[in-house]
Amino acid sequence: MALSVFDLFSIGIGPSSSHTVGPMRAARMFARRLKSEGLLTQTTAVRAELFGSLGATGHGHGTPKAVMLGLEGYSPRTVDVNQADADVERIKSAKRLRLLGHDLGDAHEIAFDTDTQLILHRRRSLPYHANGMTLFAYDSNGVPVLEKTYYSVGGGFVVDEDAIGADRVKPDDTVLRYPFRTGEELLRLTRETGLSISGLMLENEKAWRTEAEIRAGLLEIWKVMQECVAAGMSREGILPGGLKVRRRAASGARALRAEGIGPANAMEWVTLYAMAVNEENASGQRVVTAPTNGAAGIIPAVLHYFLNFIPGADDDGIVRFMLAAGAIGMLFKENASISGAEVGCQGEVGSACSMAAGGLAEVLGGSPEQVENAAEIGIEHNLGLTCDPVGGLVQIPCIERNGMASVKAITAARMALRGDGRHHVSLDKAIKTMKETGADMKVKYKETSRGGLAVNVIEC
């Protein structure tokens, strides 16, 4: 199975890659399947049932909204974030849904009552993964014409029930020049070829795109990250969802601009960059999944640190950073999980911290061994991190947690660069430990909002 860096960095919509981006993709897949099998015109009703973490925290994560938009044919990458809420209100008030209308241009309109046809099962789960959803389509006689179950396995990745028993991501049989599945294999390949981790990743990416396309694609992703940071540092007000969490990035930016940018306040800027992204994510705006939405602020924050505080930083460095970070992310995706509903926040913030640490070490001149060491430090000190969002919203503790992990990633990279790459705990062992820790973690600490801060903070 081949993974691309563009699988891990994708442009989408907040507030959650697994609860918003994935379900929107799944609902769109279902609607497109109806069309491809010639069932669309026969369909007069649809029903969606959400299970596990999707059912427990779906309202706070915008899952019902995502499902409705997906059924209408919208994609997370291109959906108009400023129009999305109005479209959802139209569906709710009219109790009519334009099935695949966005794709077709000529809507196939059906009756749709969110109270009875969009069901969240708060304590029922499906067997394969904590983020499960089943969609049904019926004809005018109430006879089912299609039923499909999908799993949103983290980072916006979606697997349908036909793939159960196979790998979690739909297999891609593309032949890569330097395939690897473990950190040990990755380091061996760098020694054999003399390539850096980013250089090796670039050669693999050429299986899908030209070097110019890879560079342009990554810089487009970087541009969206920059726009997200800028937007987050300019918007005031209260975040949606009922917790009345106040946006802080804009006021923080004003205070820091008065001080200027320098080494003395570098980490304050880094924290601000991360919080700006995650405030945007929490309000359902455009973000880059990196590798998830809940952890979307960490890599942009560390990239901004590189660009603003490291002399000589340029676009070439940005590309190399993202390629190296992508290599680290693939190890988590292949050998553990990036889903908070499966392994807790260690799989989201922990993996993003590790990726950012590795990427920064790469562009600061680290050897492959130092890059691997930085990534290991980044995850080792996030092991056991729970996912306990208050009110099921990606706000508390998620926004501040991105800021803290961004600073931790920079520290990890700096620590690794002071050494020679030799260390006692390998990245592979740390990832294995993360997976085992996630398996041992109680369900209430894995994005269900039934444990931790979620039950110890009054939602008002």
Side-chain angles (χ1 to χ4, degrees), residues 291 328 332 337-338 345-356 379:
I328 303 302
F332 283 92
S337 174
I338 57 172
C345 198
Q346 58 175 354
E348 298 201 32
V349 162
S351 63
C353 179
S354 179
M355 292 167 66
I379 183 56

Side-chain angles (χ1 to χ4, degrees), residues 173-371:
D173 57 4
T174 301
V175 177
L176 302 181
R177 186 169 183 182
Y178 301 113
F180 62 89
R181 288 199 65 179
T182 67
E184 183 180 358
E185 291 174 359
L186 177 59
L187 290 178
R188 176 179 57 77
L189 286 168
T190 62
R191 288 192 293 267
E192 292 175 357
T193 62
L195 292 168
S196 64
I197 288 178
S198 62
L200 189 142
M201 276 293 293
L202 179 62
E203 292 303 312
N204 283 350
E205 289 295 322
K206 289 178 183 177
W208 293 285
R209 300 169 179 85
T210 66
E211 184 169 343
E213 289 170 338
I214 295 163
R215 177 183 170 85
L218 290 175
L219 290 178
E220 179 192 2
I221 288 169
W222 167 232
K223 180 173 179 286
V224 175
M225 288 179 173
Q226 289 177 297
E227 291 170 349
C228 187
V229 169
M233 291 197 301
S234 66
R235 295 192 219 265
E236 308 270 4
I238 303 297
L239 293 173
L243 289 181
K244 300 181 181 179
V245 173
R246 178 174 53 87
R247 282 179 176 263
R248 289 179 285 170
S251 60
R254 283 195 299 273
L256 282 175
R257 287 189 186 109
E259 297 177 14
I261 295 181
N265 61 15
M267 292 306 102
E268 290 185 69
W269 276 106
V270 169
T271 303
L272 180 69
Y273 299 141
M275 291 180 63
V277 171
N278 283 85
E279 287 178 358
E280 286 293 281
N281 179 62
S283 61
Q285 299 298 311
R286 181 79 63 217
V287 298
V288 174
T289 301
T292 68
N293 283 29
I298 298 165
I299 286 173
V302 179
L303 278 169
H304 275 77
Y305 167 79
F306 169 63
L307 194 66
N308 293 334
F309 292 93
I310 303 300
D314 56 15
D315 283 352
D316 288 338
I318 298 293
V319 171
R320 289 173 50 230
F321 182 114
M322 295 180 78
L323 287 168
I328 303 302
M330 289 174 194
L331 299 178
F332 283 92
K333 186 67 185 168
E334 286 274 4
N335 300 299
S337 174
I338 57 172
S339 168
E342 191 171 18
V343 294
C345 198
Q346 58 175 354
E348 298 201 32
V349 162
S351 63
C353 179
S354 179
M355 292 167 66
L360 183 60
E362 172 87 7
V363 295
L364 293 182
S367 66
E369 288 76 18
Q370 289 172 316
V371 171

Side-chain angles (χ1 to χ4, degrees), residues 17-307:
S17 51
S18 59
H19 289 61
T20 313
V21 175
M24 190 185 297
R25 286 176 176 162
R28 185 169 184 258
M29 288 165 61
F30 182 77
R32 290 169 69 90
R33 178 104 175 222
L34 286 172
K35 182 176 183 293
S36 67
E37 295 189 8
L39 300 170
L40 189 63
T41 56
Q42 299 175 37
T43 301
T44 61
V46 295
R47 188 172 91 252
E49 298 191 27
L50 310 178
F51 298 88
S53 181
L54 293 184
T57 63
H59 283 300
H61 285 68
T63 310
K65 167 183 172 180
V67 171
M68 286 183 267
L69 292 172
L71 288 172
E72 290 214 337
Y74 287 97
S75 162
R77 183 182 178 90
T78 58
V79 62
D80 184 345
V81 294
N82 297 313
Q83 178 64 28
D85 286 337
D87 286 334
V88 170
E89 285 307 309
R90 165 181 52 79
I91 295 168
K92 288 181 176 180
S93 60
K95 296 189 177 182
R96 306 286 295 178
L97 186 145
R98 300 168 184 171
L99 194 60
L100 212 57
H102 179 70
D103 274 1
L104 298 178
D106 181 19
H108 175 64
E109 194 168 288
I110 61 173
F112 188 77
D113 185 343
T114 55
D115 292 334
T116 59
Q117 292 170 266
L118 187 46
I119 303 161
L120 280 72
H121 297 286
R122 296 186 178 276
R123 294 187 178 271
R124 286 181 58 193
S125 298
L126 297 179
Y128 176 64
H129 190 277
N131 293 329
M133 56 187 289
T134 302
L135 292 140
F136 306 84
Y138 304 90
D139 65 16
S140 58
N141 296 315
V143 176
V145 295
L146 183 66
E147 175 186 339
K148 292 291 293 181
T149 295
Y150 300 91
Y151 294 92
S152 180
V153 297
F157 289 86
V158 175
V159 176
D160 69 39
E161 62 185 347
D162 297 334
I164 295 174
D167 287 320
R168 294 181 178 181
V169 182
K170 190 174 182 179
D172 183 335
D173 57 4
T174 301
V175 177
L176 302 181
R177 186 169 183 182
Y178 301 113
F180 62 89
R181 288 199 65 179
T182 67
E184 183 180 358
E185 291 174 359
L186 177 59
L187 290 178
R188 176 179 57 77
L189 286 168
T190 62
R191 288 192 293 267
E192 292 175 357
T193 62
L195 292 168
S196 64
I197 288 178
S198 62
L200 189 142
M201 276 293 293
L202 179 62
E203 292 303 312
N204 283 350
E205 289 295 322
K206 289 178 183 177
W208 293 285
R209 300 169 179 85
T210 66
E211 184 169 343
E213 289 170 338
I214 295 163
R215 177 183 170 85
L218 290 175
L219 290 178
E220 179 192 2
I221 288 169
W222 167 232
K223 180 173 179 286
V224 175
M225 288 179 173
Q226 289 177 297
E227 291 170 349
C228 187
V229 169
M233 291 197 301
S234 66
R235 295 192 219 265
E236 308 270 4
I238 303 297
L239 293 173
L243 289 181
K244 300 181 181 179
V245 173
R246 178 174 53 87
R247 282 179 176 263
R248 289 179 285 170
S251 60
R254 283 195 299 273
L256 282 175
R257 287 189 186 109
E259 297 177 14
I261 295 181
N265 61 15
M267 292 306 102
E268 290 185 69
W269 276 106
V270 169
T271 303
L272 180 69
Y273 299 141
M275 291 180 63
V277 171
N278 283 85
E279 287 178 358
E280 286 293 281
N281 179 62
S283 61
Q285 299 298 311
R286 181 79 63 217
V287 298
V288 174
T289 301
T292 68
N293 283 29
I298 298 165
I299 286 173
V302 179
L303 278 169
H304 275 77
Y305 167 79
F306 169 63
L307 194 66

Side-chain angles (χ1 to χ4, degrees), residues 379-456:
I379 183 56
E380 180 180 336
H381 302 288
N382 280 292
L383 291 174
L385 194 62
T386 61
C387 185
D388 51 353
V390 177
L393 299 166
V394 191
Q395 297 179 16
I396 303 171
C398 320
I399 295 171
E400 289 181 355
R401 187 169 284 174
N402 274 253
M404 298 297 292
S406 300
V407 173
K408 190 181 292 186
I410 294 168
T411 302
R414 294 291 188 182
M415 288 177 68
L417 292 172
R418 291 293 181 184
D420 60 6
R422 290 179 293 180
H423 53 112
H424 288 284
V425 180
S426 69
L427 177 58
D428 289 334
K429 289 178 181 177
I431 292 174
K432 181 175 184 288
T433 302
M434 188 198 82
K435 182 178 181 180
E436 292 171 347
T437 302
D440 290 340
M441 191 181 290
K442 290 183 177 180
V443 171
K444 69 180 183 178
Y445 297 119
K446 294 193 284 189
E447 210 165 0
T448 59
S449 290
R450 297 203 297 265
L453 289 176
V455 298
N456 286 304

